[in-house]
Amino acid sequence: MMEDIRTSKTAQDDALIRLTGLTKSFGAKRALSGIDLEVGRGKIVGLLGPNGSGKTTLIKILNGLLRPTSGVALIDGHAPGVETKSHVSYLPDRMYFADWMKAADLMDLFSDFYADFDRQKAAEMFSALGIRPMERIKTMSKGTKEKVQLVLVMSRQAELYLLDEPIAGVDPAARDFILNTILTNYNENGTVLISTHLIADIERVLDEVIFLQNGQIVRHDSVDNIRATEGKSVDQLFREIFRAVPYQGGDL
């Protein structure tokens, strides 16, 4: 456990995300331990930590896929569930669409499920990427599949975008596209929470960072404040804080 635990004072009173004493255990394993957190609106926030730090668990709780063992998680004052589904756009760390589906099928699916889905925006981005409406997922490369999922998620006018490892496993050119898509397409009144351990690639788009270690927040701060007070980049600070943390074989 680190001694210098600091929490940002930049969180707004009307926080979009508010966590109080949030804990999640899987049997004897505690993935999240008593987290208190507030995140405001109109921000791109990095959820940063080594594998096994609890990033995916936290995102799944916010998306309503997992329930806390104890504590409270609120999105715009509501517990994750039916009430929040229409306001949260979620990009999981794995492809979840069936291989037989076509790009056009996916746009139909999102149009049916989400009133805030902008089909024209999605179609324009698919066209710019050279993805044909009748192209099936099973014929696409891994990088193209990642782009398809991101296009669909970012074509919603959501209040909260939860992106779990959006740049993992794709080449540098694909990473640039993904980051530019996030920057230019999210609802400016909403907030983007990006889980990753690839800090150097994503730092340029972040307003704030949350460092997770062993299921606890060890720092929540603005990127500008870190650079001003520490005299180093977020990537440098991340490496300094987590250099002794061993790889744990996958995130929780």
Side-chain angles (χ1 to χ4, degrees), residues 48-205:
L48 314 178
N51 289 296
S53 59
K55 302 189 300 296
T56 293
T57 297
L58 178 53
I59 283 182
K60 286 183 175 180
I61 287 175
L62 291 174
N63 195 48
L65 294 175
L66 291 175
R67 291 187 177 182
T69 302
S70 61
V72 176
L74 297 176
I75 298 174
D76 197 21
H78 301 281
V82 175
E83 182 70 28
T84 62
K85 288 290 186 184
S86 61
H87 305 294
V88 176
S89 194
Y90 171 52
L91 178 73
D93 59 348
R94 295 177 179 85
M95 170 66 72
Y96 64 95
F97 302 122
D99 279 350
W100 58 264
M101 297 184 78
K102 301 184 288 287
D105 295 330
L106 298 175
M107 287 192 288
D108 289 342
L109 182 68
F110 269 63
S111 295
D112 289 342
F113 273 86
Y114 304 111
D116 62 0
F117 179 67
D118 188 336
R119 188 187 182 105
Q120 181 176 348
K121 177 188 285 189
E124 289 172 354
M125 284 196 280
F126 280 158
S127 178
L129 290 168
I131 298 171
R132 300 181 303 278
M134 303 309 290
E135 185 174 357
R136 295 184 186 276
I137 291 176
K138 65 181 178 182
T139 68
M140 299 176 185
S141 67
K142 177 177 174 56
T144 299
K145 291 176 183 178
E146 297 276 356
K147 292 174 185 176
V148 165
Q149 283 199 122
L150 185 71
V151 164
L152 295 167
V153 167
M154 300 309 299
S155 292
R156 291 183 57 195
Q157 289 293 304
E159 290 187 41
L160 178 61
Y161 301 84
L162 299 173
L163 312 181
D164 195 357
E165 296 287 358
I167 61 173
V170 297
D171 59 64
R175 290 178 188 177
D176 287 343
F177 167 83
I178 287 170
L179 295 180
N180 288 332
T181 300
I182 292 168
L183 272 176
T184 57
N185 289 283
Y186 80 99
N187 176 8
E188 292 183 358
N189 295 317
T191 284
V192 182
L193 185 65
I194 307 174
S195 163
T196 188
H197 59 277
L198 301 172
I199 317 305
D201 294 289
I202 211 164
E203 179 174 347
R204 68 179 175 86
V205 308

Side-chain angles (χ1 to χ4, degrees), residues 28-45:
K29 171 67 176 179
R30 180 168 286 188
L32 298 175
S33 183
I35 289 179
D36 296 318
L37 174 69
E38 291 188 357
V39 176
R41 303 169 191 272
K43 302 174 183 294
I44 300 180
V45 182

